[in-house]
Amino acid sequence: MKTVTHWIAGKPFGGAAGASGTGGAAGASGTWGPVTDPATGEVTTRVAMGGADEVAAAVAAAKDAYAGWRTSSLAQRTAILFRYRELLDARRDDLAALITAEQGKVHADALGEVARGLEIVELACGLGAALKGETSTEVSSLVDVVSVRQPLGVIVGISPFNFPAMIGMWMFPMAIACGNTFVHKPSSKAPSASMLLAELAAEAGVPDGVLNIVHGDEVAVNALLDHPDVAAVSFVGSTPVARHVYRRAAATGKRVQALGGAKNHMVVLPDADLDAAAEAAVTAAYGSAGQRCMAVSVVVAVGAAGDALVPRIVERAGRVRIGPGDDPASEMGPLVTRAHRDDVADYVAGAAAQGADVVLDGRDFTVEGLENGHWMGISLLDRVRTDSDAYRNEIFGPVLCVVRAESYAEAVRIVNDSPFGNASSIFTRDGGAARRFQLEVETGMVGVNVPMPVPVGYHSFGGWKDSAFGDHRMYGGEAVHFYTRGKVITSRWPEQAEAAAG
Ligand code: NAD
């Protein structure tokens, strides 16, 4: 069985690597966690679960490295990031294979994840322009004012299982490019991609201690949130944990951004290109087995759109090939764990009793020869009531709910009544309706004839309401603001002395 240890001060730490002196018995908290291949259901890897000792060691390493890193030149940091970009580019396939082996998504999808992460590394390569300060000369007689942004110190990043590489890459390249040092706590369900990311960072020249990894669960997370030497916390995960992280880290004065769960609505007006809308709904609802925070989980079909759209979705969904992520023919893989698969199946089981038409039921799906995998076929629930469990909760699986609305106004009201506000989209040929939707809808990201409006790296990513706590979004210019703090210098110098003026 493979073993994954922590990564502290530029090398493996704890467990079998023995760097912490635990001699291969276990992580310092004394436990290992299982990592399962979702396609086979087999435990393939054990991951060290960190506790207070590992957190203390990682934060101390990051704090030690900070003094040298923050004073390194922008040119040095940028050169390292360019080398990192090249190494990552060369290892796309390896990263994708690690993602597939532990998260389950198909290889093409995993490659897409790596590509989106690389976008942020590329953004970090060009950070010099974004870090430029502002200057006002002669605001008063002989007085100049300069605004600069400086790093914060030790940053913690906590990421979810569903993008084992990309979400760490949303965080640490920008954080370290700004001059901070970093401790990453990836999901213990899919820890290996983050280790390769750290190894490649070291190979690129990122100094020891600038990027550290502690694996584990809430024990490690809470120790990080409480640590007095941590300046800021970037979190991505489910809403209840995001809320907890936001409150607990803020209680000790840390800067926090905590992105939570989602229930993304796709509004389809009757004038839309319904073939295109059905195609978009299927790829956005069932891609990655629905385990995306940007997945479409609700279609709001307006007026006559519903009766025309549902059969089109059924037809297109029937052509999705489900199988192991390392089979190039597969378009959708399994769910991450058996327990999660069973939770998703329970929503489908309870849907009819709460008024939905179960048009497609994926609960009995399996793959021959891989019966222990965490399989779930495609499910489609029509005429879903907005007070039902399947509508109100984030299911995070291959289950698409269709809600019927009489009018555009009712559709927008439904979207805006949801406590989640991550993303939404509208499908229509009416530019006026699309424009109105952009202005009226209460979500942080909006698509017009685009089902999953994931912003490119130089914009920024984040939801509203229960989908994000804290007022900074991920990446783009907002990351520079989150990972730095402002300083304004007002100076007065007398006229140049005569002697010096020569
Ligand atoms: P999760 O909230 O269970 O875990 C996220 C991280 O928090 C992990 O590192 C985990 O170890 C840690 N954690 C879990 N329980 C904790 C607790 N009680 N106390 C402290 N830390 C804890 O999320 P997940 O299941 O790994 O990921 C799926 C969720 O993430 C979904 O809700 C999805 O919508 C969300 N997500 C959101 C975005 C976004 O950008 N808004 C992106 C990806 C995923």
Side-chain angles (χ1 to χ4, degrees):
M1 187 182 310
K2 187 174 125 184
T3 290
V4 174
T5 62
H6 313 288
W7 179 272
I8 297 177
K11 52 186 174 300
F13 181 100
S20 70
T22 51
S29 66
T31 56
W32 296 95
V35 182
T36 310
D37 178 344
T40 63
E42 281 165 23
V43 176
T44 57
T45 302
R46 58 178 195 160
V47 56
M49 302 296 275
D53 290 349
E54 286 82 359
V55 164
V59 175
K63 192 179 172 189
D64 282 353
Y66 178 59
W69 183 244
R70 70 172 296 227
T71 52
S72 62
S73 72
L74 197 50
Q76 282 171 318
R77 298 206 295 269
T78 304
I80 290 171
L81 283 159
F82 269 103
R83 277 200 295 279
Y84 190 39
R85 193 259 163 218
E86 292 309 299
L87 292 171
L88 290 168
D89 185 41
R91 300 292 294 274
R92 285 176 195 249
D93 260 320
D94 296 333
L95 275 164
L98 291 173
I99 294 167
T100 296
E102 296 180 351
Q103 199 274 359
K105 66 178 70 172
V106 301
H107 189 72
D109 203 8
L111 280 173
E113 166 175 351
V114 175
R116 294 313 300 257
L118 257 172
E119 259 183 39
I120 312 306
V121 177
E122 287 162 2
L123 186 72
C125 288
L127 207 64
L131 281 172
K132 271 194 321 214
E134 295 173 329
T135 305
S136 303
T137 51
E138 212 66 10
V139 296
S140 181
S141 176
L142 301 174
V143 175
D144 301 331
V145 179
V146 176
S147 294
V148 296
R149 299 206 65 90
Q150 294 190 314
L152 301 173
V154 178
I155 312 284
V156 161
I158 302 159
S159 54
F161 79 82
N162 65 324
F163 285 99
M166 181 188 77
I167 291 181
M169 293 163 88
W170 281 1
M171 299 171 175
F172 69 77
M174 295 295 279
I176 68 173
C178 289
N180 302 285
T181 55
F182 201 87
V183 179
H184 184 196
K185 209 302 284 172
S187 169
S188 56
K189 291 174 188 155
S192 294
S194 59
M195 294 300 279
L196 181 52
L197 291 175
E199 286 162 24
L200 295 177
E203 197 179 328
V206 171
D208 294 351
V210 170
L211 173 61
N212 308 277
I213 298 176
V214 175
H215 297 289
D217 53 19
E218 65 253 49
V219 177
V221 170
N222 289 338
L224 287 163
L225 301 180
D226 293 346
H227 200 296
D229 290 335
V230 170
V233 178
S234 286
F235 172 89
V236 178
S238 60
T239 289
V241 182
R243 192 182 274 116
H244 163 76
V245 166
Y246 185 67
R247 287 181 177 150
R248 188 152 173 163
T252 51
K254 296 174 177 59
R255 186 177 289 192
V256 197
Q257 57 178 179
L259 272 57
K263 197 83 185 172
N264 303 314
H265 294 65
M266 169 175 159
V267 173
V268 182
L269 299 187
D271 72 344
D273 176 340
L274 294 178
D275 291 325
E279 172 75 26
V282 169
T283 53
Y286 304 118
S288 212
Q291 297 175 118
R292 290 175 175 149
C293 65
M294 292 296 275
V296 166
S297 46
V298 181
V299 164
V300 185
V302 177
D307 286 348
L309 189 63
V310 170
R312 285 174 163 84
I313 293 176
V314 170
E315 188 281 322
R316 177 63 186 89
R319 289 189 275 122
V320 174
R321 282 167 299 184
I322 307 171
D326 59 4
D327 178 347
S330 303
E331 292 168 305
M332 180 181 128
L335 291 166
V336 67
T337 59
R338 166 67 45 191
H340 181 52
R341 183 255 166 231
D342 292 346
D343 287 347
V344 172
D346 284 349
Y347 281 107
V348 180
Q354 295 193 1
D357 295 345
V358 181
V359 182
L360 296 173
D361 183 340
R363 283 177 296 160
D364 289 336
F365 179 87
T366 192
V367 172
E368 211 182 310
L370 294 172
E371 287 79 4
N372 290 329
H374 314 145
W375 303 107
M376 173 91 190
I378 281 175
S379 296
L380 179 66
L381 311 177
D382 192 11
R383 300 184 188 282
V384 172
R385 290 201 327 242
T386 55
D387 61 352
S388 66
D389 292 337
Y391 178 80
R392 288 189 307 110
N393 299 310
E394 181 184 38
I395 300 176
F396 221 54
V399 182
L400 177 62
C401 297
V402 178
V403 174
R404 305 290 187 116
E406 294 284 317
S407 62
Y408 164 85
E410 188 189 356
V412 173
R413 195 165 57 245
I414 289 169
V415 181
N416 288 349
D417 281 349
S418 169
F420 297 105
N422 205 42
S424 60
S425 58
I426 187 164
F427 278 68
T428 180
R429 290 185 166 103
D430 181 340
R435 181 176 180 278
R436 208 176 134 184
F437 184 78
Q438 291 166 49
L439 298 178
E440 291 178 345
V441 77
E442 294 175 7
T443 61
M445 293 167 281
V446 182
V448 175
N449 297 317
V450 171
M452 290 197 299
V454 181
V456 288
Y458 35 93
H459 284 260
S460 65
F461 185 107
W464 287 10
K465 303 198 284 188
D466 284 359
S467 294
F469 305 96
D471 56 6
H472 284 93
R473 299 155 64 89
M474 291 280 165
Y475 62 76
E478 298 217 14
V480 176
H481 269 253
F482 185 77
Y483 293 127
T484 60
R485 53 188 163 177
K487 181 182 276 179
V488 183
I489 303 138
T490 303
S491 57
R492 179 200 297 275
W493 287 98
E495 289 290 9
Q496 191 175 12
E498 214 176 295

